Amino acid sequence: MIKVITYGTYDHLHQGHIRLLERARSLGDYLIVGVTSDDFDKQRGKINVRQPLEERIAAVRATGLADKIIIEEYEGQKIDDVKRYGVDIFTVGSDWVGRFDYLEEYCKVVYLERTRGISSTEIRSTVKFRCGLVGYTDYINRVFTECGLVDGLEVVAICANDTSLLEEDLLDSLLITDDFDEMLGTVDVVYIHSHPDCHYDQVKRALKAGKHVMCEAPVAKSASECDELFALADERCLVLMDSLRTAYSTAFARMLLLVAGGCIGDVVSIDATCTNLKTNRPPYSLSRETAWSSMAAWAPTALLPIFQILGPKPKSVAISSLCDPKDDAFDYFSRISLEFPRAVASATVGTGAKSEGSLVVSGTKGYVYIPAPWWKTDYFEIRCEEPSNNRRFFYQLDGEGIRFEWVAFLRMIDSLGRGSDGESALRREGGIGREITRAICEVIGSFERGANVRYLEA
């Protein structure tokens, strides 16, 4: 029996894929097909894969051409697979000529001519979502750059009252307007990074205009407003996604899985710190209307791992804040203390004050340590009582996770178009569950209302 093995992503399986599989099958008696995992695709720089792994596997299985389907998860796996399965022939498309010659030491290597004019990239690019960015900070420059790397997405407009921090390339090539409704008339999807006071109103107007929305957290300043927005999105069959790019970091996601699997025992405490000295508060910001409080700027990020690990329903929340003497709803530094059944947590946030921006998850068998800045997670450690049992994990993080967040957003739109509901689509992308978005909005709302807040003298 001659065994043949081939590999691919098989995103939006098309006739070109099928013809390659047919020709690979004809080379022997038994065909093994390796489907690359989402994480391995990211490591290889393939950020635009639109279909999740299980859908891509199902599509390959449906062809009836594969005798065995395996998942490719790491660099160097091809050698392991050739040895493990006793493979006689390795084959792949001709666009990889020479790349896998090293496998000739283990088996025969055959490069197959690809079907011209058909590719997953071309299929993804046939549908372009016109995107509008809303915001006035220099972060919009980074978002614009990252969007340019995502297939099927084109930024066509920016809505901002102040463009002084935007780069000239953006100002010269896009529709620039301070009229939100004018921008809505030119786009299919909206990204909102305006002042947090504006989020609820702008998200609502965008959804009513039939636009998919990704909004920087917090999407609203109360749980009731959050519920209203998600209900509106479901009613209009639209995607509303909370934007917290940390959630789409591979390292952060792996850390959550390991903790859930009991690697540090039962979690008893979480301490998350997010601070920065490059503050946008008065007198450093252009005006009081453009400044973000510490709670609005950092609390969603700091609360993310707490709610993802311990759940979105704390028994109690208490906030201690150093606030503007003229405005109790504008804090410079705050500590949020939360109690859960059998666990406690704290989230420390600040603008204009600096602390060690680390994340520590404490358990009964050890703890997880993520060094500063933990919200740009690419590395973490599991530390134990016995140092020899410590483990280190590193996963490359490109673009601070922004590009992966956008790919997840477009995947959710695709899933919704195929009949999935908004919450199911979100969960399939490993994003932030609605209950967590709601819990974040409730904490922000509690601070805004002065509930359970202790004000410190400035």
Side-chain angles (χ1 to χ4, degrees):
M1 177 186 290
I2 298 176
K3 289 186 177 181
V4 181
I5 195 166
T6 188
Y7 296 82
T9 299
Y10 305 106
D11 190 33
H12 291 291
L13 190 79
H14 51 70
Q15 191 59 38
H17 289 138
I18 294 173
R19 289 188 63 182
L20 272 176
L21 290 173
E22 288 174 340
R23 294 170 67 190
R25 174 84 189 183
S26 69
L27 294 174
D29 307 301
Y30 189 89
L31 177 62
I32 303 169
V33 178
V35 182
T36 55
S37 69
D38 296 335
D39 287 343
F40 189 47
D41 273 324
K42 287 181 183 179
Q43 293 173 32
R44 299 189 304 157
K46 297 188 70 171
I47 68 168
N48 289 300
V49 177
R50 197 63 57 81
Q51 290 182 295
L53 177 62
E54 61 269 22
E55 287 188 11
R56 294 184 281 118
I57 290 175
V60 171
R61 182 176 292 113
T63 67
L65 296 169
D67 294 293
K68 184 178 185 65
I69 298 174
I70 61 176
I71 300 173
E72 185 181 22
E73 300 181 272
Y74 58 90
E75 191 72 34
Q77 182 178 330
K78 291 180 176 66
I79 293 176
D80 287 344
D81 290 341
V82 168
K83 291 180 176 179
R84 180 181 299 115
Y85 299 112
V87 169
D88 302 290
I89 299 173
F90 167 88
T91 186
V92 72
S94 58
D95 49 337
W96 293 98
V97 168
R99 174 64 177 81
F100 298 108
D101 287 354
Y102 69 89
L103 289 174
E104 290 179 347
E105 181 180 344
Y106 308 96
C107 65
K108 182 179 179 181
V109 176
V110 177
Y111 296 101
L112 298 173
E113 187 67 29
R114 283 191 176 274
T115 304
R116 298 185 182 278
I118 303 177
S119 74
S120 297
T121 299
E122 290 172 346
I123 292 173
R124 288 192 298 265
S125 299
T126 55
V127 178
K128 283 276 189 182
F129 287 100
R130 298 168 300 159
C131 176
L133 309 180
V134 183
Y136 54 88
T137 72
D138 58 359
Y139 183 68
I140 294 297
N141 298 318
R142 277 183 281 167
V143 173
F144 175 78
T145 299
E146 291 296 306
C147 285
L149 302 174
V150 180
D151 284 347
L153 186 67
E154 180 182 9
V155 178
V156 298
I158 292 180
C159 179
N161 292 321
D162 173 24
T163 61
S164 61
L165 297 178
L166 302 184
E167 295 177 353
E168 290 185 8
D169 290 348
L170 280 69
L171 302 178
D172 293 340
S173 60
L174 306 174
L175 167 66
I176 308 296
T177 180
D178 60 1
D179 186 330
F180 187 71
D181 291 320
E182 180 185 11
M183 185 209 65
L184 289 179
T186 65
V187 302
D188 308 302
V189 299
V190 179
Y191 170 72
I192 297 175
H193 195 276
S194 58
H195 192 281
D197 288 349
C198 303
H199 289 182
Y200 165 76
D201 178 65
Q202 289 177 337
V203 170
K204 187 174 182 178
R205 288 163 63 187
L207 291 172
K208 284 188 172 181
K211 314 301 177 182
H212 300 287
V213 180
M214 178 160 61
C215 181
E216 189 73 17
V219 299
K221 288 192 171 183
S222 72
S224 60
E225 287 182 346
C226 178
D227 291 340
E228 179 187 348
L229 294 176
F230 278 124
L232 181 59
D234 290 342
E235 176 188 319
R236 303 296 177 94
C237 199
L238 296 168
V239 170
L240 169 57
M241 180 171 139
D242 200 350
S243 174
L244 274 172
R245 60 189 182 278
T246 302
Y248 300 91
S249 155
T250 300
F252 184 78
R254 287 291 169 271
M255 181 275 293
L256 293 178
L257 290 175
L258 287 170
V259 170
C263 69
I264 58 171
D266 297 327
V267 176
V268 297
S269 176
I270 300 175
D271 298 287
T273 300
C274 298
T275 62
N276 68 318
L277 286 174
K278 186 181 178 183
T279 178
N280 60 3
R281 75 179 191 187
Y284 307 104
S285 64
L286 297 176
S287 71
R288 174 64 179 83
E289 287 70 31
T290 63
W292 291 40
S293 68
S294 294
M295 286 291 290
W298 282 119
T301 301
L303 290 169
L304 177 66
I306 295 173
F307 288 145
Q308 286 186 310
I309 294 172
L310 297 178
K313 296 181 179 181
K315 292 173 60 178
S316 68
V317 177
I319 304 170
S320 300
S321 295
L322 180 64
C323 292
D324 188 326
K326 298 179 181 179
D327 185 357
D328 285 344
F330 191 93
D331 67 315
Y332 299 148
F333 191 87
S334 291
R335 177 163 291 148
I336 310 166
S337 300
L338 306 96
E339 293 184 357
F340 296 82
R342 302 180 64 80
V344 295
S346 69
T348 302
V349 298
T351 55
K354 192 63 180 173
S355 184
E356 175 68 17
S358 60
L359 173 66
V360 178
V361 183
S362 303
T364 56
K365 296 180 180 178
Y367 68 98
V368 171
Y369 171 73
I370 306 180
W374 72 262
W375 52 91
K376 298 179 182 179
T377 309
D378 61 3
Y379 168 82
F380 66 92
E381 297 181 17
I382 295 178
R383 296 178 176 177
C384 305
E385 187 79 11
E386 173 54 54
S388 62
N389 294 329
N390 292 354
R391 297 158 64 193
R392 298 178 177 88
F393 300 84
F394 177 83
Y395 300 86
Q396 183 171 326
L397 178 64
D398 296 313
E400 299 181 18
I402 299 171
R403 64 189 65 171
F404 303 127
E405 184 177 52
W406 277 97
V407 170
F409 182 50
L410 295 185
R411 279 184 173 182
M412 287 174 63
I413 295 173
D414 282 350
S415 295
L416 205 61
R418 295 196 299 272
S420 177
D421 64 89
E423 178 72 350
S424 296
L426 185 146
R427 290 185 182 280
R428 291 182 66 175
E429 297 312 318
I432 305 164
R434 288 184 177 183
E435 69 282 359
I436 292 177
T437 296
R438 186 181 192 277
I440 289 172
C441 290
E442 180 56 32
V443 173
I444 300 293
S446 178
F447 171 76
E448 294 276 329
R449 298 189 303 271
N452 304 313
V453 181
R454 179 171 176 263
Y455 299 104
L456 309 177
E457 292 186 8

